[in-house]
Amino acid sequence: MKKLINNPVTVVREMLEGVVALSPATILLADDNVVIQSGLPEPDKRKVAVLSGGGSGHEPAHAGYVGAGMLTVAVAGDVFTSPSTDAVLGGIRAAAGPAGALLIVKNYTGDRLNFGLAAELARAEGIPVEIVVVADDVALRDTVSADRRRGIAGTVLVHKLAGAAAERGLPLEDVARIAREAAGKLASMGVALGSCTLPAVGKPGFVLGEAEIEVGLGIHGEQGVRRMPLAPVDELVTLVLDTIKADGKLKSGDRVALLVNGLGSTPPMELAIVARSAVERLESLGISVERAWAGTFLSALDMPGFSLSVIPVDAETLSLIDAPTVATAWPRGGAVNRERVLPSHNIEKSEAAKRRRTTAGDRLHAVSRHVANALIAAEPRLTELDSITGDGDLGMSMVRGAEAILALPEQSFSDVSDGLMAMANAMRKAIGGSSGPFYATGLMRASRQLAGIEKPTAEQMADAFLAAVAAVSELGGAGPGDRTMIDALYPAAETFREKLGGGASSEDAWRSAVAAGVAGAEATASMKPRLGRASYLGERAVGHQDAGAVAVSIWLEAITAG
């Protein structure tokens, strides 16, 4: 187990101390793991207190939602363990006045028992208390009755609505009604790509195969209602939303708020892809997404995966959602962009289609396809090499560039110059990072070198090759020996020109050029990198070939085979 902790026994207290240190709107009770709003007025002037909580490990819930306009109190138990009755009662006593308190409880036995008993004790002391239980997990629709479903990430939306209602000064019965109605309309469901590791346990709660996922899981590291093969995000989102719809919680014409929740270790990139899919799927069902957020709102420690929560909204609900709060973890905003794509006006005009096709152009087209297929086939090798000394994206970059070249029409290759320019434009559009500009620059320089030449000679092709290599070197600042693609390009281009100058046939000269390029790529394994990401590794990169140079050797050999 690798976790940034001091001691499994003290993780909850130390976590809360960190949360409070970064949130001036909160304060931590001395004797309990209870976070409350700081600076509350005298008890007789207080508004309805809104309390929630449960086991820890769900951060930023629940302490991150403490602040005016949201929770008044968050009560934290040990990891995935309900807080004690006394801790809940301590939170009620610290925050509630005559206006009373609302307890928002996720539907787990321990939480219901401890929050429920604390409510009874508080009532016995004369404090008005209402309880709202959230049971939003629709994955259990075919497993248990509705009143026994779990409370999961949608609970955060109930926090927001109830907190905004309380901040307006509404009486306890109205705040409870708003929260209860929201809980009744709310629907959530999750999908996990793996388990999580409890600090006190030190190993995952369950193990999945490389291509397996859990569907319909809770938030305590438990398994889902079923296991299934990994599928694309669009399919998983459709599965979740269709389940919510089948439960009667969604219908065409609804206006909804959507919460795309990460379970703890899901990157923002993946959550954004989930959000894209969820918004598009809801819109395709005739449902208007009025507000939407993507992020980690209620986690299960370090579990990879996501959940979706959907709640129907009207003008009043939206006004409560949009009401301000100082709670640090509430994401704010949430407006959905209705105009998401700007039509492209960058249409490049090509004269190539109007020109007479040449034999040399046809030959280049055939060779380019052979080269592209070779690069696609080499993706695993290039990815592995680049993962050792770079960022691991070269293999996929070459695939994207190759696919862009394969998509070029034959008309783009009216002659060699036009074909090279078409490939340059395709590469720069398809590949980001450094590879796209390097290849595009080299191809463009070679294209200009051969402009107007219907059937280039081998010598002219050699001059164009040298010009391309010079362009790449100028752009990146690399030279031979720097451990880059230049270490394969330069010897290949120089050898080709020298062999031709010495009277060798074009075929023999090219074979020598390819051999020089391959040897140059192999030699990078013994070089200490001076440029690029590999330079950050220093001596650690020695012993491994440069992936960019290897990519060059692959397409050099493919030209020969093609």
Side-chain angles (χ1 to χ4, degrees):
M1 179 180 70
K2 292 182 179 179
K3 289 186 178 292
L4 297 174
I5 63 174
N6 294 309
N7 187 325
V9 176
T10 60
V11 290
V12 173
R13 187 67 183 186
E14 292 177 355
M15 175 267 293
L16 294 178
E17 289 172 353
V19 170
V20 170
L22 302 180
S23 174
T26 62
I27 194 167
L28 182 61
L29 293 189
D31 299 324
D32 288 299
N33 287 333
V34 178
V35 176
I36 65 173
Q37 288 184 28
S38 57
L40 290 173
E42 293 300 313
D44 61 344
K45 296 180 180 179
R46 291 176 185 173
K47 300 169 183 177
V48 172
V50 180
L51 292 83
S52 191
S56 296
H58 303 305
E59 291 70 37
H62 300 80
Y65 300 114
V66 174
M70 210 159 172
L71 294 182
T72 317
V73 176
V75 189
D78 288 333
V79 176
F80 295 168
T81 303
S82 174
S84 69
T85 297
D86 286 352
V88 178
L89 181 60
I92 296 172
R93 287 171 173 166
L102 171 68
L103 308 186
I104 300 174
V105 183
K106 295 186 297 301
N107 197 23
Y108 292 94
T109 301
D111 288 348
R112 293 190 67 159
L113 290 176
N114 285 290
F115 278 81
L117 179 53
E120 285 300 314
L121 292 168
R123 289 173 187 137
E125 295 178 8
I127 303 173
V129 179
E130 291 278 352
I131 297 179
V132 170
V133 177
V134 181
D136 56 327
D137 187 2
V138 301
L140 299 176
R141 60 188 300 270
D142 297 323
T143 306
V144 299
S145 59
D147 63 332
R148 293 180 56 204
R149 296 178 182 179
R150 297 172 292 210
I152 54 177
T155 308
V156 175
L157 294 170
V158 181
H159 293 164
K160 182 64 179 71
L161 293 167
E167 187 65 20
R168 288 181 178 178
L170 297 180
L172 178 59
E173 56 268 26
D174 286 344
V175 176
R177 173 185 54 80
I178 289 169
R180 198 166 286 121
E181 289 176 354
K185 296 185 292 184
L186 181 65
S188 301
M189 181 173 166
V191 174
L193 308 185
S195 184
C196 58
T197 301
L198 277 68
V201 176
K203 62 180 180 180
F206 58 86
V207 178
L208 288 173
E210 284 294 321
E212 291 182 322
I213 61 174
E214 288 284 339
V215 177
L217 68 152
I219 53 173
H220 296 125
E222 68 269 50
Q223 298 181 48
V225 296
R226 68 185 176 99
R227 188 168 291 189
M228 64 173 278
L230 178 64
V233 165
D234 288 351
E235 292 181 24
L236 298 178
V237 167
T238 296
L239 170 64
V240 171
L241 292 178
D242 284 357
T243 303
I244 294 174
K245 188 172 184 291
D247 195 53
K249 299 294 180 69
L250 284 175
K251 64 181 184 302
S252 180
D254 279 349
R255 304 167 66 202
V256 302
L258 167 69
L259 195 71
V260 179
N261 176 58
L263 298 178
S265 65
T266 310
M269 173 189 287
E270 295 175 28
L271 291 176
I273 294 171
V274 173
R276 160 203 167 274
S277 183
V279 170
E280 289 183 356
R281 176 61 178 164
L282 288 167
E283 290 176 343
S284 75
L285 294 172
I287 296 166
S288 176
V289 184
E290 300 294 328
R291 300 289 184 274
W293 306 268
T296 300
F297 305 109
L298 193 148
S299 64
L301 289 172
D302 55 349
M303 180 176 281
F306 74 93
S307 66
L308 299 180
S309 299
V310 182
I311 186 170
V313 297
D314 55 20
E316 180 61 18
T317 307
L318 287 175
S319 72
L320 293 170
I321 287 175
D322 293 340
T325 177
V326 299
T328 56
W330 178 250
R332 284 118 177 119
V336 176
N337 188 3
R338 305 298 181 194
E339 300 292 335
R340 298 195 280 272
V341 178
L342 179 67
S344 176
H345 297 288
N346 185 25
I347 302 174
E348 295 184 3
K349 297 180 180 180
S350 175
E351 297 296 324
K354 302 176 183 178
R355 297 177 186 168
R356 182 173 61 85
R357 297 278 298 279
T358 65
T359 302
D362 289 341
R363 173 63 177 156
L364 177 61
H365 181 236
V367 170
S368 72
R369 297 184 68 81
H370 196 83
V371 167
N373 286 319
L375 288 171
I376 291 172
E379 183 273 325
R381 180 187 177 194
L382 294 176
T383 296
E384 181 181 5
L385 278 173
D386 197 39
S387 297
I388 296 171
T389 59
D391 54 8
D393 68 343
L394 181 66
M396 191 51 62
S397 292
M398 291 294 96
V399 169
R400 286 194 292 267
E403 289 175 342
I405 288 173
L406 290 173
L408 290 171
E410 293 182 10
Q411 292 79 4
S412 298
F413 293 81
S414 57
D415 61 24
V416 173
S417 177
D418 285 341
L420 293 172
M421 186 60 72
M423 287 193 288
N425 290 330
M427 295 287 274
R428 71 177 171 83
K429 292 177 181 178
I431 307 176
S434 57
S435 298
F438 283 143
Y439 277 102
T441 298
L443 288 165
M444 289 175 66
R445 185 73 63 88
S447 172
R448 290 201 303 274
Q449 185 84 12
L450 298 172
I453 302 174
E454 182 173 318
K455 187 178 180 180
T457 64
E459 288 75 13
Q460 288 171 325
M461 292 294 291
D463 290 341
F465 192 4
L466 283 169
V469 175
V472 173
S473 181
E474 292 165 11
L475 182 64
D482 285 337
R483 198 183 184 277
T484 69
M485 63 192 298
I486 292 295
D487 288 299
L489 284 172
Y490 183 79
E494 281 288 320
T495 299
F496 188 41
R497 192 70 185 85
E498 288 174 3
K499 292 295 182 182
L500 288 173
S505 68
S506 58
E507 290 80 6
D508 288 343
W510 182 251
R511 278 192 290 270
S512 296
V514 172
V518 171
E522 292 172 348
T524 60
S526 62
M527 298 177 186
K528 182 178 178 181
R530 293 199 286 262
L531 291 174
R533 283 188 174 89
S535 64
Y536 307 151
L537 298 177
E539 295 290 346
R540 294 179 65 187
V542 176
H544 305 282
Q545 288 179 262
D546 177 72
V550 172
V552 170
S553 71
I554 288 168
W555 60 254
L556 285 173
E557 292 181 314
I559 291 174
T560 303

